[in-house]
Amino acid sequence: MVMDAFIEGSDGVFVGACKRGECHYSSGNLYAEGKMDLTRRLMRLAGINAGRLGMRMMSSAEGNKFTEFATAFQAEITELGPLGRSEGISKEDLAIKLEACRRALAGRKLRWVVGKVVEFKEKGNLYGEVFTEHEIGRLLEETAMDEYRLREILERLKVKPQSVKTLASETGTPAKVLLRQMADLRKMGLADIQELDGDSAVWALAGNGKTYE
Amino acid sequence: MSKRKKKGSGDSRASGDGPRIGVFVCNCGTNIAGFMDTEDVAGYSATLPNVVFVRENLYSCSEAGVNDIKQAIIDNKLDRVVVAACTPRTHEPTFRAACKDAGLNPYHFEFVNIREHCSWVHKEDRDLATLKARDLIRMGVARSAYLEPMEPIIGNVVERALVVGGGISGMTAALELAARGFEVVLIERQKHLGGLVKSLYEIYPWGEKAADYINGLASRVERNSKIRVLKACEVTDVRGYVGKYEVTVSSGDETVVAGIIVVATGARPLLPEGMFGHDSRRVITMLELEAMLLRSRSRRKKVVLMGCAGARIPGRFYCSRICCMTAIKNAIIMRKKWKADVTVLYRDLMCYGVQNETMLVDAKKAGVRFINYSLENPPVIEKDTVTVSSEILGRDLKVPVDLLVLSTPLVPQDTNVALSKILKVPVDEYGFFLEAHVKLRPLDFATDGIFVCGTARWPASIRECLEQAIGAASRASTYLARGEVEVEPIVSVIDEEECRGCGLCVALCPYGAIELIDTEKGKKARTIDVACKGCGTCGATCYRHAIRMKHYSDEQLGAQIRAAFVKDP
Amino acid sequence: MLAYSEVEGLSRKSGGFTLKVRRKARYVDEEICNACGDCLEKCPGRAKDTFDMGLRQRKAIYLYFSQGIPAVMTIDPEACIYLKKGKCGVCKKRCDKGAIDFEMKDEILSLDVGSVIIATGLDIFEPGDLTYYGYGKIKNVITGLQYERLINATGPTGGHLYRPSDQKLAKTVAYVQCVGSRDLNYCSYCSSVCCMCSIKDAMLAREHDPESVSYIFHTDLRNVGKGFQKYEKRAAEEYGVQYVRGRVAEIGEDDEGNPIVLYEDTRQRKVESLKVEMVVLATAATASRGSRELAKMLRVKADKYGFITTRNDQPADTNVKGIFACGFCKGPCDIPEAVSQSSAAAQRAASHVLRSVGAGASKA
């Protein structure tokens, strides 16, 4: 939903939540916080200013705080200007990046991981190992990075087939890393080499129209 | 103020088979109309997709306004109603009922708040308020098109109560519930009923011996044919929901089935280990003093009672509410019984109300000495003296002492956190149970059918514990007497085709409202409608997108978000 | 629901009570009136607005307060020119629904009930007798409840702290605690709620005006409820509320109408004075007027202050079987306590009625 708002043209999204321990739905605000944290990670990976997604916690009795937060956020976003401009991202690129973020967030992998995080923190994993905040952060970051890159590649290939070299320059990912990812995509049956253009391969979405969920 | 009423714009915009939406713009007297151009807002609403009828009301919630809505639904065959007025908190039920009366499903109603969210916050800028109201209504109209009809969920209530804790609060609640004719199961962790009060000496202001009172109460509980007492027994697991909680207890493999649960687990005084030279002989706690008073004789002649020992300090910032009164009560008793010199060291004397303040005056008359101290300069405790830096006198006072009594605060039971997880109810930062609303719903949890009373909630005097226990019994009987519960159908729905039975939603649901069931196609998650609060945690988590929230579906919210960014002409 | 009505007598009958209730004439038909306000516009009668603590005037026909239940107008017979002199009737002409009825008479109802719950609440101590605080003489010395009306958006100043003497925005406000409370000459008990109330009021002032400064003159700060200590601290740290431990001896006034507070600072052990722009007196809360008469009528015990006495072991029960009490009428209490007590009274009343019904059934 947050990404939908950005895609529909919002320059900033403000999420207001209850204070920790005061959530009407017990711990919903903490889950929301986790999700927003992940969303910000993806925005950073996409080169979008994560400050455009604000989250503040306040109680229902703190109307003044809400005004304060909302006014300050409004000012920050106005200062940043339209989405993409302060980031130096073109309109077309922005659409691709936002869609990649949206798909990564809606994708099974990240939803699974973020859902499991709470359990990991409290009960440990299958083997009873409890993770520290730092370990979880790293786990999330790595998964998010992987997911985001895959999604962005897929989005870009959707626009037109291209070589690893051009993909690397467009996504800002080192060609080496990219190559490994292309191999993954190929294994998953999502992308394949379409033709050879001189000495470099041109990649395209796999023909059977399979989607990555 | 003049009444401006606009004729509905007829059905000129009815577009084939689309929904027929009616928009009602409330002026709320001048509360809304005073800060925006409602006529413009109404006119704009008429241009929105699928809107076939618009009306402006002076007060939509008034009888006239409500009748207007009903008539419009019938006359214009409306199938969605959007009211742009105030907060759903007060009037959503009013308008839902109006829809129902006019033959429309009450959940085909959408509330847009243009007062608290708009006119009241933009009092300085009329044009801005008008524009924002247009935005808000456009969003509401967009969502309303996707609303679905729903029916309330009805669940049965087992006519049995479970009371956790057999102290003064738990026993009182059990007796009150039994008096209303309901079966009660009372669980006590210790081998005996009685709780903290059992170890006290006299109860102020009745002068009654605490043990006499509590033993009388316990025998009434034990004799009551409606009450079953399980002693040396704890709650180990709770499943189910309001009307039918299935409670596993530690005594054996028995499961108690109860319609409601009352939490009355009490609190305990802080043990001042390593604080203020506590040695249980010359430096004792207030509870140890009560025991000394029970043994009657003592040769102690120089008693100092120190308040806020371990309370109202960083890390345990709260006031324990009852310690001042306990200290003053015992000071008077020691003056009379032991003829001792008694000094009370205090930070603030919390003798709220009539009886407490009266007792304070009595204590002063009886010759109890009161010395104020501050957090910054706590009393210095030596073998035979306590040195207090008196703020009022501006100098140090040396008070001779042969018995120092520490008023330590009541602290939550160590088991509260575990129990709160089992019951899926919250505790506050200190570990006291956290009620649904600190002011208006002190005895309810946010979870339906679970109640709290006594010192499990917050330190309280015996009188307050009794009041809360009887009150909690009252709250509980509203469910038990009715025999059934009606729950809002705003719940999650799980698509069994998509569900892989991973159990993530079951683990995360804060209300225990999802269960895994065995089907022909393997394990599947299913929502227990009566227990679901519609919070959406499961829906946001399911990695297969197999869970949708009724009334807050992705389509409905998506439509609202998209409408937010439609350019206003 | 019988609003604008008073109990005038009670008699016992088998299985319960018969209550005599006076339903006072509103001179407005409750069934017809929808509180549209047309009648207000031209009404020439004036009276003190009691809901606004006398800070402004209202018409003779009035709505006690907005959002009140039932939402119907009432004519004040003391202020209505028609009812006093038989001339006027403007409201009747203005009301196109025909809700005005000058012929309406008080009605005496006889109600058979199984049980009675007393919940008559509190009234505020009138601080005029405490001449040293200047209430009634110094315009900018007001009571806590008057302050609540000033700071309220629906109040006479629309929520701005315009002080009574010159309608200037009051930026420094002193709160005087225990006015009438803990005072052996007046109410020797502690009213329980005033400490928190003053802190809340001081915080509200800061929310309305970031430059506002408040001083709270107190003895013991009795903030014993859930979360109250934190609230007290937050007020000092985030809202600029200054706590001064000391009783106020006297309040004077300078030429500009600014109150001068003369007080003994017990922490500094000095007599000091402080000029402020407004003083709020945290007046004692008393049993509501008429509670003694009510107690007598119902034959329930009350203490010397007029608070209803209840049993120690059954704190909702009075000495009369079937009559229960809850809330401030029993003695000072905060909202959550009042709510708990009301649940308790409902429980006891329900048990009592069910028992009487059961007993009646077994007899029959």
Side-chain angles (χ1 to χ4, degrees), chain B residues 145-163:
Chain B
Y146 289 90
L147 291 174
E148 293 164 11
M150 299 195 289
E151 295 303 327
I153 296 159
I154 309 280
N156 289 324
V157 176
V158 176
E159 269 194 38
R160 186 181 301 114
L162 174 77
V163 178

Side-chain angles (χ1 to χ4, degrees), chain B residues 220-521:
Chain B
R220 274 168 61 207
V221 168
E222 305 255 22
R223 279 201 315 267
N224 196 306
S225 61
K226 290 267 178 197
I227 305 175
R228 194 153 73 92
V229 183
L230 301 175
K231 279 177 276 197
C233 188
E234 283 180 76
V235 173
T236 53
D237 192 27
V238 173
R239 297 187 168 276
Y241 38 85
V242 56
K244 195 183 173 202
Y245 284 108
E246 290 162 331
V247 185
T248 317
V249 294
S250 61
S251 63
D253 32 31
E254 182 192 24
T255 304
V256 177
V257 180
I260 63 95
I261 298 174
V262 176
V263 177
T265 49
R268 64 172 179 86
L270 176 79
L271 276 176
E273 280 164 338
M275 291 160 63
F276 311 105
H278 175 251
D279 59 4
S280 298
R281 288 173 42 247
R282 290 178 65 88
V283 181
I284 65 173
T285 65
M286 191 57 76
L287 197 61
E288 288 166 330
L289 175 67
E290 298 271 355
M292 240 170 127
L293 290 168
L294 277 169
R295 291 194 302 268
S296 91
R297 279 172 191 285
S298 170
R299 278 172 314 205
R300 312 289 180 115
K301 289 290 175 206
K302 291 169 278 184
V303 186
V304 173
L305 303 161
M306 182 185 157
C308 296
R312 300 175 69 203
I313 54 168
R316 200 179 296 108
F317 200 71
Y318 63 91
C319 160
S320 168
R321 191 175 176 104
I322 59 166
C323 332
C324 285
M325 272 62 80
T326 318
I328 296 167
K329 170 200 79 156
N330 288 336
I332 298 173
I333 293 172
M334 286 185 289
R335 284 292 294 158
K336 289 190 180 147
K337 234 175 129 166
W338 297 354
K339 308 272 180 280
D341 285 337
V342 184
T343 307
V344 175
L345 311 180
Y346 70 96
R347 279 172 55 199
D348 286 282
L349 280 170
M350 304 298 197
C351 304
Y352 58 94
V354 177
Q355 292 179 336
N356 299 333
E357 182 72 22
T358 308
M359 183 169 65
L360 173 60
V361 175
D362 289 349
K364 286 180 178 168
K365 282 184 191 156
V368 177
R369 189 180 182 201
F370 289 89
I371 304 174
N372 177 247
Y373 77 92
S374 68
L375 175 64
E376 298 75 30
N377 288 312
V380 178
I381 297 150
E382 282 150 317
K383 194 164 171 285
D384 300 315
T385 56
V386 174
T387 311
V388 205
S389 153
S390 164
E391 286 206 319
I392 294 168
L393 299 174
R395 63 184 165 86
D396 286 354
L397 291 173
K398 279 197 186 307
V399 186
V401 60
D402 59 13
L403 182 66
L404 176 66
V405 186
L406 304 172
S407 281
T408 58
L410 283 181
V411 294
Q413 302 284 10
D414 303 325
T415 47
N416 279 9
V417 173
L419 186 61
S420 86
K421 284 197 173 142
I422 292 173
L423 292 172
K424 300 212 165 61
V425 295
V427 287
D428 68 10
E429 61 190 301
Y430 304 112
F432 289 108
F433 283 101
L434 187 62
E435 59 273 43
H437 190 291
V438 256
K439 291 275 178 223
L440 302 177
R441 292 178 64 194
L443 307 176
D444 304 0
F445 280 113
T447 307
D448 286 337
I450 308 187
F451 307 91
V452 64
C453 60
T455 51
R457 174 185 160 269
W458 192 250
S461 70
I462 285 177
R463 183 174 249 268
E464 289 160 354
C465 285
L466 293 176
E467 284 165 344
Q468 290 174 24
I470 304 167
S474 174
R475 300 292 302 142
S477 358
T478 55
Y479 286 91
L480 296 173
R482 226 180 283 140
E484 57 179 35
V485 280
E486 192 181 307
V487 185
E488 276 254 54
I490 301 174
V491 296
S492 63
V493 188
I494 301 172
D495 178 352
E496 284 195 6
E497 284 298 308
E498 272 300 316
C499 174
R500 288 289 176 273
C502 74
L504 193 54
C505 50
V506 180
L508 293 188
C509 175
Y511 303 99
I514 306 179
E515 56 188 353
L516 277 183
I517 47 164
D518 288 312
T519 69
E520 284 172 11
K521 291 177 180 168

Side-chain angles (χ1 to χ4, degrees), chain C residues 7-22:
Chain C
V7 173
E8 292 207 328
L10 170 119
S11 57
R12 260 185 190 289
K13 57 162 206 122
S14 78
F17 309 93
T18 302
L19 276 176
K20 200 169 110 188
V21 176
R22 176 179 296 271

